[in-house]
DNA sequence: CATCAAAATGAAAATGAAAATCATTTCTGT
DNA sequence: ACAGAAATGATTTTCATTTTCATTTTGATG
């Protein structure tokens, strides 16, 4: 569609202004955030991301970082997960890995690939749900902690 | 094994004191927490749990609630998950359900059963990892939010 | 039963990431 | 250039969770 759209990100509403050239739904800030996240192999927390952006010369306030991370999640471009400590880490959605997390020491190790890639959400649910991404996490004891406990 | 063990929960170390009758690894407080969590079909946050315990006449300080929730997780008896808001919810591990969470409004709906029940952790990983539980979460847009956006 | 040390508790204070506020700046279309 | 809308960011606020530490409880031993 070739339309001029005003997109109210706060409320998620759209208003068609004119039929013209399509504009990307992504703003400059959001592009910078994505770009920065893509630079690192690991996930970044909001705070880390903010720090890195500044070091890269992309000046941006902390509130802007958090605000736009939320928008990117809602657009299905990034995903987040919580460490046992409560920290939230962000990654581009297209990265295909999940985690093993030790409930004792909190250490997280990456698992390449996704064991449920081919499994679909139960149909009854998908009918009513526009799937953006999923998250799988295994919790247990890492070797160190398991040994320390016995 | 029939032993008298002193278990330092803080550091996870054990000391054999005497060979006698085995004691359950679970304390009275921990039993109360589990009991209370089992009373509700839904998951509870730390705060909610604390409130409910008091209403049930099981007086307990907030710090004790949090402390023992952590211990129960480490013992593999309960599991926790984070809502997009950051709240942490706790459930007994044996409950077999996962979630669909809307990234727009944050609403969470339960999915009975687990799509990955029969899939195992990749062998390379399990070798070094004592699996306690896993968590699977789908994120996307619920019907309401999906419609509101279009 | 008395004693002693280790562990557990809870009231209160501290923490810190994320959210909210709001004055200011930037955009967009006319 | 102008006007209204949206976005920004410095700052403040929030609030669940953690930490601290003095007190209580527990459990083994003589």
């Amino acid at each position: 569609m070739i339309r001029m759209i005003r997109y109210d990100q706060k409320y998620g509403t759209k208003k068609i202004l004119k039929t013209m050239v399509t504009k990307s739904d992504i703003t400059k800030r959001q592009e910078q955030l994505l770009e920065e996240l893509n630079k690192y192999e690991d996930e970044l927390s909001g705070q880390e991301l903010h720090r890195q952006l500044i070091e890269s010369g992309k000046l941006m306030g902390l509130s802007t970082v958090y605000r736009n991370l939320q928008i990117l999640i809602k657009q299905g471009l990034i995903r987040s997960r919580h460490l046992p400590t409560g920290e939230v880490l962000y990654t581009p959605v297209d990265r295909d890995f999940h985690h093993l997390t030790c409930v004792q020491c909190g250490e997280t190790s990456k698992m390449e690939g996704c064991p449920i890639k081919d499994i679909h959400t139960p149909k009854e649910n998908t009918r009513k749900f526009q799937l953006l991404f999923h998250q799988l996490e295994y919790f247990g004891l890492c070797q160190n902690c398991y040994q320390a406990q016995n």
Side-chain angles (χ1 to χ4, degrees), chain A residues 114-130:
Chain A
C114 170
I116 54 164
K117 196 183 277 173
D118 302 320
I119 301 172
H120 304 299
T121 334
K123 282 185 186 169
E124 293 164 276
N125 290 310
T126 34
R127 215 183 292 153
K128 295 176 182 170
F129 199 84
Q130 163 84 3

Side-chain angles (χ1 to χ4, degrees), chain A residues 45-106:
Chain A
S45 69
Q47 305 282 342
E48 286 167 342
L49 185 51
H50 179 237
R51 215 175 306 130
Q52 295 298 346
L53 281 164
I54 287 173
E55 280 186 22
S56 306
K58 295 166 185 151
L59 268 287
M60 198 181 303
L62 195 53
S63 6
T64 304
V65 171
Y66 281 114
R67 253 192 304 251
N68 284 293
L69 281 173
Q70 282 174 315
I71 293 170
L72 287 170
I73 288 179
K74 289 176 186 175
Q75 304 206 326
L77 295 174
I78 63 172
R79 56 189 170 92
S80 68
R81 76 180 176 107
H82 294 255
L83 292 182
T85 60
E87 272 183 282
V88 185
L89 303 180
Y90 301 87
T91 342
V93 254
D94 48 28
R95 294 200 186 160
D96 185 33
F97 58 71
H98 300 277
H99 298 86
L100 295 168
T101 299
C102 178
V103 293
Q104 184 80 47
C105 66

